Amino acid sequence: MLFVYVNKEENRVVTTSKKRESALYSQADLSEYQVPDDFDMSKEIPSDEVEGEFVRLDGFLNATEFLGRYNADYKAKRVHEYPSTEDQLDSIFHGGIDSWKADIQSIKDKYPKPY
Amino acid sequence: MATVISGSDGITLEAGKNLKYSATSYITPENNVSGAEVSTAGVFTVKTGTTTPVERLRVDNTGNVGVNTNSPNAGLQVALGLSTAGGPAAGAATGAACFGNITSGNNYGLVMGADGTGWGYIAAQRTDGTAVSYPLEIQPNNNDTRIGGNLIIGSGNSDYQLIGGIGAASTLGTQDWNHSTNARSGSGATLLLGTATNGPSGAQYFHSFCFLYSSSGNLTQWAIGYSTNHRYQRNRYNNTWSSWSAF
């Protein structure tokens, strides 16, 4: 899972991280998004070596571009809403498998897989 | 008794004739004892294809010497340089002051100057049009028994081979991370705030380390936590910055 911190006012993807950045999570001007590890963060940039050609590089999305992909990606939205692994284990321990499955299913229903 | 020569043409020497003076004599402007006038000395030349003499060398009344300028502001001012941006091409010494072994067959020279945007340059290279550049040694310390050879840029002590000056140069850490002084190769001698413009965010200080690739302008920038273990990286490619990525 990838944590993405976005400053919408500056139209900037500020930071990405494999774990929650607590200092950024609590920063008022940033929004946190969680996306799958294979979420496409790449973008074509004009080559600085061959005029007219492009190179595909990770990490160059601005906030608008990232949110456009995020909002079109049901998996990313599900990942964003799923509780943490620790919280899910706690839910199973206290509420049982069926209760946990119902919680997860409600998220899947909220962001259905397109056909 | 001095000989006074009047007339607009002064002294005219025929072709091939020299103006000679003894080893203990000097060519000097008139010594004006009243102090009401100042004295300067200049050398003029006429460029091929022109008729107007142009002053090329000036010694002003304070002793400042100007080459290619008649108003030197320093002890020695060489007013030569490129009018456009960028340093001289390898092999080219025109438009710059040149020092070194240019009398050898290979015309080795140390070319110095400033371009039309104010950027200075020092280049060790051939000066005869042959496009070859050479390493530039600073404080090489060859055959030197003294403690030395270290290079200080900016400020600092002399305990290290290279210290100070390069890397982040922000005041109070609030300067834009994209600023040229914070995005150049070097060590993070000063600190930048994570919340400063284009920073990785977080109300904490970071060292900025930059690794610039050649003259392309492409670079990798690291933000290393000063009092925390946070570490981030981003890149600039073709003048476009990426987002920060946590290590």
Side-chain angles (χ1 to χ4, degrees), chain A:
Chain A
M1 187 187 301
L2 191 66
F3 292 78
V4 182
Y5 296 89
V6 174
N7 186 320
K8 294 175 184 173
E9 190 173 336
E10 296 178 0
N11 193 26
R12 189 163 70 99
V13 174
V14 178
T15 300
T16 62
S17 178
K18 287 284 190 183
K19 62 180 180 61
R20 169 164 286 159
E21 300 283 321
S22 56
L24 276 58
Y25 179 70
S26 58
Q27 198 165 307
D29 58 346
L30 298 182
S31 301
E32 181 192 85
Y33 296 87
Q34 298 167 39
V35 296
D37 285 333
D38 61 355
F39 187 86
D40 183 12
M41 295 289 288
S42 68
K43 176 182 177 180
E44 285 197 328
I45 301 284
S47 170
D48 74 338
E49 295 176 349
V50 184
E51 192 172 345
E53 290 194 2
F54 290 81
V55 292
R56 181 164 284 279
L57 300 173
D58 281 329
F60 285 84
L61 295 178
N62 60 35
T64 303
E65 292 163 339
F66 166 75
L67 291 171
R69 289 186 194 179
Y70 172 83
N71 288 325
D73 188 334
Y74 76 98
K75 284 196 293 186
K77 289 200 249 187
R78 286 180 178 180
V79 166
H80 179 67
E81 203 143 322
Y82 286 147
S84 69
T85 306
E86 292 85 351
D87 287 345
Q88 290 189 49
L89 288 171
D90 198 51
S91 170
I92 293 170
F93 180 81
H94 290 289
I97 289 288
D98 289 342
S99 173
W100 166 78
K101 285 182 71 174
D103 290 342
I104 297 299
Q105 188 62 53
S106 68
I107 295 172
K108 289 181 182 292
D109 292 343
K110 187 175 178 182
Y111 305 109
K113 185 177 182 179
Y115 293 99

Side-chain angles (χ1 to χ4, degrees), chain B residues 5-58:
Chain B
I5 301 172
S6 60
S8 60
D9 292 336
I11 300 173
T12 300
L13 296 176
E14 295 178 351
K17 305 302 181 183
N18 299 321
L19 179 64
K20 294 184 177 179
Y21 55 99
S22 73
T24 56
S25 298
Y26 303 91
I27 296 178
T28 178
E30 182 181 12
N31 181 20
N32 186 286
V33 294
S34 72
E37 296 177 5
V38 295
S39 60
T40 61
V43 174
F44 289 67
T45 64
V46 179
K47 190 176 181 180
T48 302
T50 66
T51 57
T52 305
V54 177
E55 187 172 2
R56 305 297 189 187
L57 178 67
R58 165 71 66 94

Side-chain angles (χ1 to χ4, degrees), chain B residues 133-175:
Chain B
S133 295
Y134 300 96
L136 174 63
E137 289 182 290
I138 300 175
Q139 295 277 63
N141 205 21
N142 288 342
N143 302 316
D144 191 343
T145 57
R146 295 174 298 174
I147 296 174
N150 295 343
L151 175 61
I152 300 174
I153 301 174
S155 61
N157 61 44
S158 58
D159 293 340
Y160 306 98
Q161 286 186 315
L162 175 62
I163 61 170
I166 55 178
S170 170
T171 302
L172 300 177
T174 57
Q175 194 177 56

Side-chain angles (χ1 to χ4, degrees), chain B residues 120-139:
Chain B
Y121 49 80
I122 304 174
Q125 60 181 39
R126 291 276 290 267
T127 60
D128 59 354
T130 304
V132 179
S133 295
Y134 300 96
L136 174 63
E137 289 182 290
I138 300 175
Q139 295 277 63

Side-chain angles (χ1 to χ4, degrees), chain B residues 153-207:
Chain B
I153 301 174
S155 61
N157 61 44
S158 58
D159 293 340
Y160 306 98
Q161 286 186 315
L162 175 62
I163 61 170
I166 55 178
S170 170
T171 302
L172 300 177
T174 57
Q175 194 177 56
D176 188 337
W177 280 74
N178 288 4
H179 191 274
S180 59
T181 57
N182 296 328
R184 58 185 176 181
S185 290
S187 59
T190 56
L191 301 174
L192 291 173
L193 269 170
T195 51
T197 304
N198 294 309
S201 286
Q204 53 193 294
Y205 283 100
F206 293 90
H207 293 282

